[in-house]
Amino acid sequence: PARPSVDSKMAARQMGAAASTAEQEEEGGEGEEEEKEVRSEVPDSLSGKYTGSFAYLTITERLPYIVTKAVDTLHRHTDTFFAQYGQEGVEAEKKAIGLMSKLRNELQTDKPVLPITDGFPDAAQWNTYLEQQQARLGSEENTSWFRAPWLYVECYMYRRIHEALLLNPPMCNFDVFNEAKTQGFLESQQAITALSTHLQKVNKEVKCFKETELKAELQRLLEVALWGNRCDLSISAGVANPQKLNPLTTLDSLKPLILVDDFESVWCLLINSKRKGTSETACTRVDIVLDNSGFELVADLVLADFLITSQLADEIHFHGKSIPWYVSDTTKTDFDWTLKQMKTSCHQEMSSCGVAWENNVTKGVWIYQDHPFWTFPHEFCDMSRVANDLYAELQKSNLIFFKGDLNYRKLTGDRRWNYSVPFETALRGFQPAPLCSLRTLKADVQVGLKPGLGEQLAASEPDWMTTGHYAVIQFNSPLRK
């Protein structure tokens, strides 16, 4: 089928602002009044079929460019592949480039989405998901790049890039995004140094902090972690997007840009856990579902360090990606590399952080985990069904931070929600534990705003949801009435 033509961007954004109903979800319950049957409208998924929308522009422009950058990276490493693997490595590189070039052509010409063929453990789940998508469309229309949900095809593109490598050993473990991630970290050294210096000073004083000082410092470091989410290489299509300024000096000027600020709920949860945590068996666990490596990861680690040293938490569980994902998303390799870079830094405060962080990992105070579900295309409301083991693991947490835009899209289903729809409604039953989204807006989905605010922003700034200019600290708890 031919790709849809481009309409006016403004008209499309206005169209995208209105929530359209695609299906009805029925939630049943008996007994208590609040558990009685509720019918809620579930809007359509964001998709490239809405011409001129951010999803359409992403599939048209940004995704092909990311594939092209991946191909260029392979080209530039021909000598490396030959040195490591001989002619076998060069032939594998050529085949992988061929598969990625084919992928780019399929994407640009709106071809049907194809099954994953590499036999990797998650392939069956991906192919089942494709069958489900096709069943929704029916037999008269193909599940194609511009007609399927944007969340699905964007995740699928990264999975296909990985497939091109898996099908061509010996380069299965090559990370085509590694150079960009390394550059992002190195170009953020000034900001990382400033943040490390601040943390070391805080750690020397934190035992003497009053609760008001503890609260102020938590808010400060939470906001640093929030705005660190601007450093996203998938949005800049792999072009360097480092944090160059001292993040601590800009927080006051950024406060008016936080559209939803539920910090008070986060603070109350953590301080109440600390007050109750007097018995030896009490353990406050905080989970951080990571987003980008580079400066954002360092900001997350600084927050995690403070949570431990302040005794607001006893252990931190980090959740990363099991394969290279969305250009700059954190993998175990990125996590370990960052700790090593910090530890071996010639800057004393950075090195002190690195030593302490490696010690936290060794002691089991910090635990890194990954799970295939984080690189599935599913909405998080599917987790309890598709990855019940992960859902059960998250239920052990006292508080889960979900970092970044992709996690927010999956939390809310990446759907055309009305701006004022409650966050809890958009979660559609995903409530493993109290959770908080720390997100700068880089996709056109946002819920939980005060009535009229989204429309007001859309009128004055048509791109307000997609530039990273605004942010949210958005909290939900299954325990909150």
Side-chain angles (χ1 to χ4, degrees), residues 109-134:
T109 56
D110 197 26
K111 291 292 191 297
V113 174
L114 302 175
I116 300 294
T117 62
D118 55 31
F120 206 56
D122 68 342
Q125 190 65 251
W126 275 93
N127 294 337
T128 297
Y129 194 85
L130 171 57
E131 292 171 2
Q132 293 168 347
Q133 290 296 320
Q134 187 58 60

Side-chain angles (χ1 to χ4, degrees), residues 140-325:
E140 296 183 3
E141 190 173 3
N142 285 318
T143 302
S144 66
W145 288 86
F146 284 85
R147 287 169 172 77
W150 170 33
L151 177 63
Y152 171 43
V153 295
E154 189 169 18
C155 290
Y156 173 78
M157 183 199 76
Y158 288 100
R159 183 59 180 83
R160 282 282 300 277
I161 290 173
H162 192 59
E163 178 188 48
L165 299 171
L166 289 175
L167 289 172
N168 290 286
M171 51 191 303
C172 302
N173 295 320
F174 184 75
D175 184 350
V176 293
F177 306 124
N178 181 64
E179 289 180 340
K181 289 186 278 191
T182 299
Q183 182 183 2
F185 177 87
L186 296 177
E187 291 186 359
S188 300
Q189 289 298 287
Q190 185 177 344
I192 292 172
T193 299
L195 194 54
S196 301
T197 301
H198 176 78
L199 179 66
Q200 291 303 309
K201 180 176 181 295
V202 167
N203 282 348
K204 291 174 184 175
E205 303 169 354
V206 68
K207 289 184 179 179
C208 301
F209 276 7
K210 299 175 182 176
E211 274 195 8
T212 53
E213 295 171 298
L214 202 64
K215 180 180 181 180
E217 191 58 44
L218 175 64
Q219 185 169 23
R220 185 177 296 115
L221 295 180
L222 196 72
E223 289 180 9
V224 170
L226 168 69
W227 292 110
N229 182 240
R230 281 180 166 175
C231 302
D232 187 332
L233 293 177
S234 72
I235 292 299
S236 62
V239 177
N241 188 22
Q243 173 74 35
K244 301 215 173 191
L245 300 175
N246 181 346
L248 296 158
T249 62
T250 59
L251 295 180
D252 286 344
S253 64
L254 293 171
K255 276 188 184 295
L257 304 177
I258 302 176
L259 302 178
V260 178
D261 190 350
D262 290 336
F263 169 74
E264 199 67 34
S265 296
V266 173
W267 164 252
C268 288
L269 187 152
L270 290 173
I271 194 61
N272 286 336
S273 292
K274 182 178 181 179
R275 289 167 181 163
K276 293 174 184 175
T278 53
S279 69
E280 293 182 8
T281 57
C283 176
T284 299
R285 165 175 164 172
V286 172
D287 287 57
I288 303 178
V289 183
L290 299 168
D291 191 10
N292 299 295
S293 56
F295 175 78
E296 181 176 0
L297 175 59
V298 173
D300 295 340
L301 297 174
V302 166
L303 174 62
D305 186 316
F306 176 73
L307 289 171
I308 295 296
T309 57
S310 64
Q311 299 181 328
L312 287 169
D314 300 300
E315 63 182 43
I316 309 290
H317 290 244
F318 299 96
H319 301 267
K321 307 301 193 298
S322 54
I323 62 175
W325 199 248

Side-chain angles (χ1 to χ4, degrees), residues 350-361:
M350 282 179 64
S351 180
S352 296
C353 286
V355 170
W357 296 350
E358 281 200 350
N359 189 41
N360 283 340
V361 173

Side-chain angles (χ1 to χ4, degrees), residues 5 44 92 105 133 167 174 180 214 272 289 339 423 434-435 466 470:
S5 59
D44 196 10
N105 177 262
Q133 290 296 320
L167 289 172
F174 184 75
L214 202 64
N272 286 336
V289 183
L339 264 56
F423 187 33
L435 62 87
T466 59
Y470 293 100

